[in-house]
Amino acid sequence: MKYYHPLLLTPGPTPVPEHILHATQLPMVGHRSSDFEAIAEQAFKSLKPIFGSKNEVMILTSSGTSVLEASMLNIANPDDDIVVIVSGAFGNRFKQIAETYYDNVHIFEVEWGQAVSVPDFIDFLKSLNTEITAVFSQYCETSTAVLHPVHELGKALNDFDSSIYFVVDGVSCIGAVDVDLERDYIDVLVSGSQKAIMLPPGLGFVAYNNRAKERFNAVETPRFYLDLNKYLKSLAEHSTPFTPNVSLFRGVNAYAELINAEGLDQVVARHYAIRDGLRQALKALDLELLVQDVYASPTVTAFTPKSKDELNYIKSELKNRFAITIAGGQGHLKGQILRIGHMGQISPFDILQVVSALEILLSEFRNESYVGKAITQYMEVVKAYV
Ligand SMILES: *Cc1c(COP(=O)(O)O)cnc(C)c1O
């Protein structure tokens, strides 16, 4: 057997830095004690810059989907008309949640792999000819590796009808993008712990502006664990309404320390440099990219191998021979694409590991030498960052 250093490159969960792991393994404290209050106070506050939020960020002990659901149940009343942009598997999840609770759900379909066209979307809203309460969209649609133009969308929505709440699922990009609720016209921005925030799975985050906070209180849709008013009330007391994952709250604070040490701007720049380098590398390997450059996410990259056999060979050999885990496609893209996650504490040089493994595997599979080709392209891009 030959040894290769394991590398987890799925678009969540992501590798957890040691600094965070250590923090999560400290001795337990009572969640109704002053020990926890100090941890929680810091955690709510330390997430503000990451989410571009003036208000402290709520933390729920549950996975990302729970805050997608919470963002809907606390913004829309049962009879409201809501709009969901569906551009992939996670847009579908928003749609499924919406259809579970609401009758007046309007779906704006975007071809998978494409970003939402803002003018087309506004035309769609006009064509509905009804009062819309809220629009729900992914920021990064993880299943296709598209980063939607959220600022342009928020601005256009605000120009169209500023009373509409704009709710954004940032589970797979918050921590790796420059976002600002006010600048980007976002009312509610949700995320989870196990993606770019590089914690173990298990926490959901909700950032919100003041008008969203008022709205949470006015909405009458039934909800219990996901009633954000409970979390807001507790947050003011540096606490949580139900038993929190104390360990992961400590992890949040350790995460914020890492981000502050590196600088959020640098963290974002690193993700973009890796994205740009990896895209050039994949092109050099004659692998087709699913998403056009302008809408490519800094956290995950999707590509299309030349055949199903090639796809299966890449995925299984990366895992079984080189200990590198990447992801397949979801929904109808299953068996069509592969996705490399590159979010969290990934160094530009870590990506050389997967790029060189791909050179070897494709040289074998296609009987043609790619050795050195993709790495050269990768380094040509990344040298400007390092
Ligand atoms: C992963 C993900 C989710 C769901 O998160 P879970 O933690 O699996 O519930 C929601 N939206 C997006 C965009 C994601 O990438």
Side-chain angles (χ1 to χ4, degrees):
M1 193 196 151
K2 292 171 180 143
Y3 179 77
Y4 299 96
H5 201 65
L7 188 58
L8 177 63
L9 294 178
T10 54
T14 52
V16 180
E18 264 178 58
H19 180 65
I20 293 179
L21 278 180
H22 284 272
T24 61
Q25 282 160 24
L26 289 169
M28 192 50 56
V29 293
H31 71 288
R32 299 291 177 228
S33 69
S34 56
D35 301 323
F36 181 71
E37 282 170 16
I39 295 167
E41 179 181 13
Q42 197 187 334
F44 299 143
K45 201 163 77 187
S46 68
L47 289 173
K48 285 166 66 175
I50 316 288
F51 284 78
S53 167
K54 291 209 167 79
N55 291 320
E56 295 181 331
V57 177
M58 284 184 257
I59 306 178
L60 279 64
T61 292
S62 40
S63 88
T65 305
S66 73
V67 285
L68 265 62
E69 188 158 336
S71 71
M72 205 171 272
L73 299 185
N74 288 271
I75 280 285
N77 276 317
D79 293 334
D80 288 350
D81 281 73
I82 58 175
V83 174
V84 179
I85 297 173
V86 176
S87 63
F90 291 103
N92 260 338
R93 186 158 308 173
F94 250 153
K95 176 182 176 212
Q96 286 173 327
I97 297 168
E99 289 174 348
T100 301
Y101 295 100
Y102 298 94
D103 293 326
N104 308 317
V105 180
H106 309 277
I107 304 297
F108 183 74
E109 298 270 0
V110 177
E111 195 188 326
W112 290 33
Q114 301 289 321
V116 60
S117 153
V118 175
D120 288 358
F121 180 66
I122 299 298
D123 285 345
F124 171 79
L125 290 185
K126 285 181 188 153
S127 76
L128 293 177
N129 205 14
T130 180
E131 198 184 315
I132 302 296
T133 298
V135 167
F136 296 82
S137 178
Q138 269 58 47
Y139 195 150
C140 169
E141 173 47 76
T142 326
S143 65
T144 62
V146 164
L147 194 77
H148 288 293
V150 156
H151 172 78
E152 288 73 15
L153 192 57
K155 174 144 190 2
L157 201 55
N158 187 262
D159 292 344
F160 171 70
D161 178 351
S162 63
S163 70
I164 298 176
Y165 293 94
F166 185 33
V167 180
V168 175
D169 165 4
V171 174
S172 60
C173 65
I174 298 307
V177 291
D178 169 26
V179 67
D180 184 300
L181 295 193
E182 197 170 308
R183 182 197 67 199
D184 301 329
Y185 304 90
I186 299 171
D187 292 289
V188 182
L189 175 62
V190 301
S191 195
S193 54
Q194 78 276 25
K195 307 226 171 145
I197 295 178
M198 59 195 188
L199 294 173
L203 294 181
F205 306 109
V206 184
Y208 48 90
N209 60 17
N210 288 338
R211 74 167 189 164
K213 188 173 165 179
E214 282 166 28
R215 177 73 182 173
F216 298 157
N217 198 32
V219 163
E220 289 165 357
T221 305
R223 62 232 195 251
F224 186 80
Y225 191 80
L226 297 181
D227 183 352
L228 293 178
N229 298 296
K230 292 188 173 87
Y231 292 86
L232 281 171
K233 185 167 170 286
S234 295
L235 182 145
E237 297 156 5
H238 311 140
S239 183
T240 56
F242 312 106
T243 311
N245 188 322
V246 173
S247 311
L248 293 186
F249 271 66
R250 279 198 170 112
V252 168
N253 293 333
Y255 162 72
E257 282 164 18
L258 290 176
I259 299 304
N260 292 336
E262 186 178 350
L264 184 56
D265 290 351
Q266 276 304 319
V267 173
V268 173
R270 173 166 55 78
H271 282 84
Y272 277 87
I274 288 174
R275 172 196 77 171
D276 293 346
L278 180 58
R279 290 173 69 80
Q280 288 308 117
L282 294 171
K283 281 185 206 165
L285 293 167
D286 300 319
L287 291 164
E288 204 187 313
L289 298 166
L290 181 68
V291 179
Q292 54 181 125
D293 288 345
V294 273
Y295 299 119
S297 173
T299 55
V300 53
T301 297
F303 62 95
T304 315
K306 285 189 192 292
S307 67
K308 274 214 161 79
D309 286 346
E310 186 175 282
L311 182 148
N312 291 333
Y313 187 75
I314 293 172
K315 186 151 187 282
S316 68
E317 293 289 292
L318 278 179
K319 176 75 185 147
N320 300 334
R321 249 167 85 188
F322 295 121
I324 300 172
T325 313
I326 66 169
Q330 292 172 281
H332 71 263
L333 291 178
K334 203 175 163 83
Q336 309 286 317
I337 61 164
L338 291 173
R339 293 174 301 147
I340 297 177
H342 36 87
M343 58 186 112
Q345 201 180 55
I346 306 272
S347 136
F349 296 136
D350 289 335
I351 298 297
L352 287 171
Q353 199 174 323
V354 68
V355 171
S356 41
L358 284 171
E359 286 180 347
I360 302 282
L361 294 177
L362 288 172
S363 299
E364 286 171 4
F365 191 82
R366 295 180 186 160
N367 216 351
E368 176 186 345
S369 180
Y370 286 94
V371 173
K373 289 188 179 162
I375 285 185
T376 304
Q377 293 307 311
Y378 182 79
M379 286 313 300
E380 284 299 331
V381 176
V382 165
K383 72 181 183 193
Y385 167 80
V386 300

